[in-house]
Amino acid sequence: MSCNVDDVREAQIKAEELRSQVNYHDYLYFVKDAPEVPDADYDELIRRLRAIEEHFPELITPDSPTQRVGGQAATAFGVVEHRLPMLSLANAQNYHQLEAWHKRAAKLTGRDDFQMVCEPKIDGLAVALVYEDGRFVQGATRGDGYHGENITENLRTIRSIPMKLRGKKYPARFEVRGEVYMPKTVFEQLNEDRAERGEPLYANPRNSAAGSVRQLDSRVTASRRLDIFVYQLGWADDGAAPATHHETLRWLHELGFRPNPDAETFSDLEDVQRFYNGWEERRHDLDYEIDGMVVKIDDISLWDELGYVGREPRWAIAYKFPPMQATTKLNKISINVGRTGSLNPYAELEPVQVGGVIVRQATLHNEADIRRKDIRVGDIVIVQRAGDVIPQVVGPVVSRRTGRERRYRLPKKCPVCKSDVERPEGEAMAYCSNMTCPAQMFRWITHFVHVMDIEGLGEKWIEILLENGLIKDPAGIYRLRKKKLIELPRMGEKLADKILANVEAAKGRNLDRLLFALGIRHVGSEIASLLADQFGSLDGLAAASEDEIAEIEGVGPRIAESVRAYFRDRKKKAIVEKLRRSGVNMEQRRNKRTEGPLRGERFVFTGTLAAMSRSRAESLVAALGAEAVSSVTRKVTHLVAGADPGSKLAKAEGYDIDVMDEAAFLSLLREHGVEP
Ligand code: IVH
């Protein structure tokens, strides 16, 4: 290759710049546990540096980040030297790269029929556990791969790390490796508690797991309910270890360790791809974060033959999912007025791909959160998606500030109706004070229609009805007349009849639904059920004192105050009275007492059923003595998931709930003599 001097100079400058960026991010990641950029951006820096070094090998310096595994061990804990370095894995971002890895391994071993074990790649932190005569004696972090921190005492608090091994057949001294993680539910609770105390939030479960194992007081670690999956035997003093990886996992399990239960063995690469696709879809159902699958060659005797490239083994590869985080520019902060009048700030972003979807907007929660995270207009921000939830802005990339960014202040007037904005004491949210604010009213009506299950009245129709003055509030829906309806463009007689019949049917919904539909601040579907069960009627609730409401388990003073305020409000009271005069049911029918073969069972429906509407499905189970409720709680016994199920399905997985698809539901009905 012939290169001129200028090219080399330029490459050298670029390499130095990349090295200093990588070092900076390594420090944030490994030492401070507070990374500023998503893994994908970091990987890109490394990739660019590697490309330069491959092209100009003379530019490689011994201290280049490509020449070592990661950062440095912080010193608050004792340092442990790893007997065998803790290395990392090469990544594949697509099937093509996976295939290239497989081909290379086939060529080097002279075989193409080898088995591969696929396991979820846990997004936590690697640890090494040393056992002597069957007892746990030392645990360390990965650190820089050669030296880690001694976190033995903290690891002792993790219940799934055995302190004493089961059985008798194990090496006298050996090391097991695995990934410590924080379950997502624990992470969410921890952050909620921290927010309440005004402490900074952890960005993700990985960071909070890393922060938790490095607590100087192991009681704090114990309170964090960490867990571990083991995935490898590090080293062993005698050769009692199994010859394949899948047997190693089974053996570790027998000794009392916890390998991931979802590992599977394949010999065909297309099966690996199918397995990967399946988990990419279902990853959000797990209570821990995974960022890809690790594919390992099963036959351990081939590992030596394959060896390493730099710090990465050739016998394994991390097949990564598309990143769920990305960085992009925050162009503007806008406001969306919610159904209870809350002013919800959201980010307008330079469009960016996150996990295979283009993201243009992301939620910013509230003003306090924007301030706590110090998010400024014009910042480069980290955007994150998780499952089906709305994308969120995690925080700014401070190192990319130019000085032209602007701090944000919530407007003092509602951006839609220009009324004053009020901020109840002790609340993070600000609200538009005008109940008839068009934005607020539109959202309230769509929420009302959705909760009361009034089919046929989509957002478009609600907008048209409001624009034409046919309704002003949710109660107006029950006063719609056919004569006026059919005057609307594209509203035929048939459609009008259908809508009016659905409105009529919705008058009989149970009180818990009505309470949720009323849009009382802080009253979600679960609280609405509690209130309806406790007071039995809307009048009962309206007459209750704040103390009586607050006494209910799970309710509390903040909700009680908001319920009282609602029934004190003249305009709200007028709407409730209009609903009453229209014949809307205001009592809680307790169908728990009904007799029938499904008595005592509670059903929740989610998604769309092909054979019938949701309300028909609900009345059929009610006819069999069961209760149909709208939200997933511990008391629910069955969840029927139709097409495109929502978050209720994921929520049900956390409880002991029988989840069935439509076919199973229909056969259950038939079993009880109901022909759907
Ligand atoms: S095997 C030579 N299996 O991913 C390293 N690693 O990017 C062999 N990880 O440092 C590692 N889940 O911390 C392996 N099922 C799994 C894993 C896993 C997560 C982590 C581990 C490793 C990093 C490499």
Side-chain angles (χ1 to χ4, degrees), residues 324-334 345-354 357-364 375-385 390-396:
M324 297 300 278
Q325 282 195 342
T327 48
T328 189
K329 188 163 174 207
L330 168 58
N331 289 330
K332 190 175 169 207
I333 295 180
S334 298
Y346 66 92
E348 294 199 31
L349 304 164
E350 205 52 42
V352 63
Q353 280 257 7
V354 189
V357 183
I358 304 264
V359 172
R360 295 187 164 81
Q361 294 181 345
T363 172
L364 284 163
I375 297 169
R376 304 181 192 176
V377 176
D379 262 338
I380 299 294
V381 291
I382 302 177
V383 185
Q384 171 171 295
R385 277 182 61 221
I390 307 163
Q392 1 172 340
V393 174
V394 179

Side-chain angles (χ1 to χ4, degrees), residues 328-455:
T328 189
K329 188 163 174 207
L330 168 58
N331 289 330
K332 190 175 169 207
I333 295 180
S334 298
I335 299 281
N336 183 331
V337 182
R339 66 186 155 81
T340 58
S342 57
L343 263 48
N344 312 317
Y346 66 92
E348 294 199 31
L349 304 164
E350 205 52 42
V352 63
Q353 280 257 7
V354 189
V357 183
I358 304 264
V359 172
R360 295 187 164 81
Q361 294 181 345
T363 172
L364 284 163
H365 304 293
N366 54 53
E367 193 186 15
D369 204 46
I370 298 176
R371 201 159 320 130
R372 193 169 41 233
K373 294 177 179 163
D374 189 23
I375 297 169
R376 304 181 192 176
V377 176
D379 262 338
I380 299 294
V381 291
I382 302 177
V383 185
Q384 171 171 295
R385 277 182 61 221
D388 302 331
V389 303
I390 307 163
Q392 1 172 340
V393 174
V394 179
V397 182
V398 178
S399 60
R400 291 181 64 182
R401 287 224 165 113
T402 61
R404 286 196 295 276
E405 298 74 15
R406 278 169 293 116
R407 286 209 169 78
Y408 176 77
R409 283 202 149 276
L410 206 68
K412 296 216 163 23
K413 303 274 179 203
C414 168
V416 178
C417 71
K418 310 290 178 242
S419 307
D420 285 345
V421 167
E422 55 181 32
R423 194 187 303 262
E425 233 191 80
E427 272 200 41
M429 275 295 178
Y431 297 87
C432 163
S433 57
N434 169 20
M435 206 195 78
T436 52
C437 167
Q440 186 174 337
M441 201 43 97
F442 172 71
R443 301 230 170 248
W444 182 18
I445 296 172
T446 43
H447 166 75
F448 188 96
V449 165
H450 176 71
V451 175
M452 298 295 268
D453 207 0
I454 306 177
E455 282 176 43

Side-chain angles (χ1 to χ4, degrees), residues 87-89 91 119-126 142 178-179 231-232 294 296 308 313 315-316 318:
L87 305 177
S88 52
L89 290 172
N91 289 338
E119 350 170 357
K121 184 170 187 307
I122 316 299
D123 200 7
L125 70 147
R142 172 173 177 252
E179 196 86 350
Y231 50 65
Q232 207 189 353
V294 180
K296 299 174 190 168
Y308 295 80
W315 43 264

Side-chain angles (χ1 to χ4, degrees), residues 129-138 156 161-176 235-238 251-252 254-257:
L129 313 171
V130 178
Y131 285 79
E132 250 175 42
D133 297 325
R135 289 183 191 276
F136 175 62
V137 293
Q138 187 186 75
R156 282 189 202 281
I161 295 181
M163 292 297 110
K164 190 172 174 311
L165 300 180
R166 303 159 72 90
K168 294 231 156 18
K169 281 172 66 185
Y170 40 73
R173 234 180 108 79
F174 71 110
E175 185 206 61
V176 175
W235 47 262
D237 271 353
D238 43 68
W251 176 66
L252 289 173
E254 281 161 12
L255 294 183
F257 292 100

